[in-house]
Amino acid sequence: MADLPGIVVTGASGRMGQMLARSIAASDRARLVACIEREGHPWIGRDIGECMGGAAMGVLVTDDPLEAFAKAQGVVDFTAPAATVGFAALAAQARLVHVIGTTGLEPADLEKLEAASRHAVIVRAGNMSLGVNLLVRMTQKIAAALDEDWDVEVVEAHHRMKVDAPSGTALMLGRAAAEGRGISLEDHMDSGRHGITGARKRGDIGFSAIRGGDVVGEHDVIFAADGERVVLRHLATDRGIFARGALRAVLWGQGQKPGQYDMMDVLGL
Ligand SMILES: NC(=O)C1=CN([C@@H]2O[C@H](COP(=O)(O)OP(=O)(O)OC[C@H]3O[C@@H](n4cnc5c(N)ncnc54)[C@H](O)[C@@H]3O)[C@@H](O)[C@H]2O)C=CC1
Ligand SMILES: O=C(O)C1=N[C@H](C(=O)O)C[C@H](O)C1
């Protein structure tokens, strides 16, 4: 048991944090060694199992990442951009594998992650599920096979609490379509239409976001031509799919060379 990699979960009281803490504690391939929450959070100093309304797990929630990272080989981080950038610097110092599920990162944040990845392994993906990563590959292949007579639209739906749009997954899918077409997403992205937008620009990749209720995550990639449409769809109904991917990623990252990786590397897709 002591030989298994020790894993820290950040944002432990969150929707994903709780799912990750449960999944890692239940795994026979890793040990949950600490949970982190932000300073002042009511769970600090308490057992994570009891905080989640179950039996004690023997793992405390702390607001001190240095103390937590000192006893770990990996950290799984689904929090918020500012928190993730801070954790990346500390994980790099401690040479931990840092698995990042956080979305909504800006270019300046990505530069800081790039700097951290010179010293340690980072695995980052806007979606850690096997199904979505397969869909990304399919999107790339279909986009490569179709010309600009086929308009590409990415439509996503999430729960009412989600704070970023387009979702990380929608961006992965849009980027895959752009790569398939051999164009840059940044130059062809059409997001948040409103008012007199004018006709759709040929070759653009459109994004629409729905927010409501408790939707875990739904993504459609629509290829629309005159007279026909191809629709690729992924429906997430259980956050366990993301936790499974994240656990696989943190185990895969052990022993890899420092650098930035994604779920395509982990899954060999
Ligand atoms: N890549 C993937 O497969 C997935 C990514 N996500 C992303 O993960 C992130 C979190 O999602 P949810 O769990 O739904 O959000 P949430 O809001 O339920 O949880 C975030 C947690 O992070 C904590 N946190 C914020 N700043 C912190 C800090 N400085 N130190 C420690 N803890 C801190 C918050 O207190 C909160 O408990 C979002 O960016 C979301 O888009 C969510 C699901 C799957
Ligand atoms: O915030 C969420 O919930 C999710 N976020 C990720 C995203 O932005 O794509 C992954 C998943 O769709 C759930």
Side-chain angles (χ1 to χ4, degrees):
M1 185 75 177
D3 295 342
L4 298 177
I7 311 299
V8 176
V9 170
T10 61
S13 79
R15 281 172 289 273
M16 277 307 300
Q18 294 193 42
M19 180 59 76
L20 288 159
R22 284 201 184 90
S23 304
I24 295 168
S27 168
D28 55 7
R29 299 170 64 206
R31 282 176 305 132
L32 179 68
V33 292
C35 286
I36 298 181
E37 254 305 336
R38 60 189 154 69
E39 224 179 300
H41 192 280
W43 288 16
I44 303 297
R46 296 180 54 205
D47 185 280
I48 181 69
E50 290 175 351
C51 289
M52 294 190 292
M57 287 179 174
V59 176
L60 295 181
V61 182
T62 175
D63 58 4
D64 181 353
L66 281 180
E67 175 211 311
F69 288 3
K71 49 189 172 195
Q73 282 72 49
V75 50
V76 181
D77 177 12
F78 288 59
T79 53
T84 290
V85 165
F87 291 135
L90 298 176
Q93 275 170 32
R95 303 292 190 261
L96 302 190
V97 174
H98 188 187
V99 172
I100 300 174
T102 307
T103 58
L105 293 149
E106 299 288 346
D109 301 324
L110 297 177
E111 275 174 32
K112 291 180 186 142
L113 298 187
E114 183 59 32
S117 74
R118 285 188 213 118
H119 308 286
V121 172
I122 291 182
V123 183
R124 184 176 70 84
N127 195 305
M128 303 259 167
S129 78
L130 174 59
V132 157
N133 283 278
L134 283 172
L135 197 72
V136 166
R137 272 287 171 263
M138 287 192 269
T139 299
Q140 190 184 15
K141 281 198 188 311
I142 293 176
L146 300 175
D147 65 19
E148 288 188 349
D149 287 345
W150 294 76
D151 300 324
V152 183
E153 291 283 319
V154 182
V155 183
E156 48 115 337
H158 283 88
H159 53 94
R160 62 167 73 91
M161 300 307 289
K162 185 160 178 66
V163 297
D164 55 310
S167 69
T169 312
L171 292 170
M172 283 166 72
L173 293 164
R175 185 150 287 118
E179 276 168 19
R181 281 195 167 166
I183 58 173
S184 123
L185 178 61
E186 284 64 31
D187 293 344
H188 292 86
M189 186 162 175
D190 187 2
S191 183
R193 295 184 190 109
H194 181 89
I196 309 294
T197 59
R200 194 182 196 289
K201 201 165 144 206
R202 188 176 161 83
D204 269 2
I205 297 175
F207 290 83
S208 313
I210 295 163
R211 296 286 176 268
D214 62 355
V215 179
V216 173
E218 302 184 353
H219 292 87
D220 280 3
V221 185
I222 303 168
F223 294 89
D226 291 342
E228 57 182 329
R229 265 179 293 162
V230 174
V231 182
L232 301 180
R233 169 169 294 173
H234 182 267
L235 303 177
T237 54
D238 181 347
R239 290 187 174 84
I241 61 172
F242 310 128
R244 261 201 305 281
L247 177 56
R248 190 164 169 170
V250 78
L251 294 173
W252 177 89
Q254 305 296 317
Q256 300 288 339
K257 284 193 198 128
Q260 285 218 61
Y261 302 90
D262 61 20
M263 283 307 283
M264 296 297 175
D265 300 309
V266 173
L267 298 168
L269 292 175

